[in-house]
């Protein structure tokens, strides 16, 4: 499965995207969707190795609008960015959901 375009992985990923919002935000999987890519990253199908899929809201962070006064310059609603990467946020959520596992 070196070439995902020819092997039908695209349809599999499309199916996962379609039904991803129905599933819980953190889901444990039996096996990776892209086995070739997972093996390249060091995955081995043996006891003690688990795979999880995490759903995270992307983009800028949502901040509630300041309710007092009129000074819109100091509200700071639009360009609020997270201090952590999306990957670290996902790993923290998995660690909370499966506390016995470590990453």
């Amino acid at each position: 499965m070196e070439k995902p375009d020819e092997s039908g992985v695209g349809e599999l990923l499309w199916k996962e995207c379609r039904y991803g919002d129905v599933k819980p935000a953190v889901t444990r999987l039996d096996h990776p969707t892209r086995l070739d890519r997972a093996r390249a990253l060091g995955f081995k199908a043996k006891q003690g190795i688990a795979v999880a899929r995490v759903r995270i809201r992307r983009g800028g962070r949502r901040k509630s609008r300041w309710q007092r006064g009129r000074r819109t310059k100091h509200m700071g609603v639009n360009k609020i960015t997270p201090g952590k990467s999306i990957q670290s946020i996902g790993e923290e959520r998995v660690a909370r959901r499966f506390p016995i596992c470590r990453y």
Side-chain angles (χ1 to χ4, degrees):
M1 215 159 66
E2 294 293 326
K3 298 177 181 175
D5 293 337
E6 299 173 3
S7 61
V9 176
E11 291 110 24
L12 190 62
L13 292 174
W14 173 248
K15 190 178 99 177
E16 289 295 329
C17 288
R18 288 288 305 256
Y19 301 110
D21 57 347
V22 181
K23 298 176 183 174
V26 179
T27 310
R28 185 170 173 180
L29 303 175
D30 298 331
H31 52 82
T33 308
R34 294 260 331 258
L35 191 58
D36 58 333
R37 178 71 180 138
R39 287 228 174 96
L41 292 173
F43 171 78
K44 291 184 179 179
K46 61 180 186 178
Q47 251 185 344
I49 294 184
V51 181
R53 179 177 289 127
V54 188
R55 184 173 65 237
I56 299 176
R57 288 182 75 167
R58 305 283 300 270
R61 292 297 165 254
R62 279 73 178 174
K63 183 181 173 188
S64 60
R65 191 175 163 85
W66 205 56
Q67 294 299 323
R68 290 173 206 84
R70 178 68 185 97
R71 188 64 169 158
T72 57
K73 180 178 176 182
H74 300 304
M75 278 188 182
V77 175
N78 287 334
K79 295 182 180 176
I80 305 298
T81 57
K84 293 185 277 188
S85 67
I86 290 178
Q87 180 178 352
S88 65
I89 292 171
E91 288 174 354
E92 287 176 4
R93 289 184 186 181
V94 170
R96 278 199 300 268
R97 175 74 172 81
F98 303 112
I100 200 166
C101 299
R102 60 189 173 98
Y103 56 92

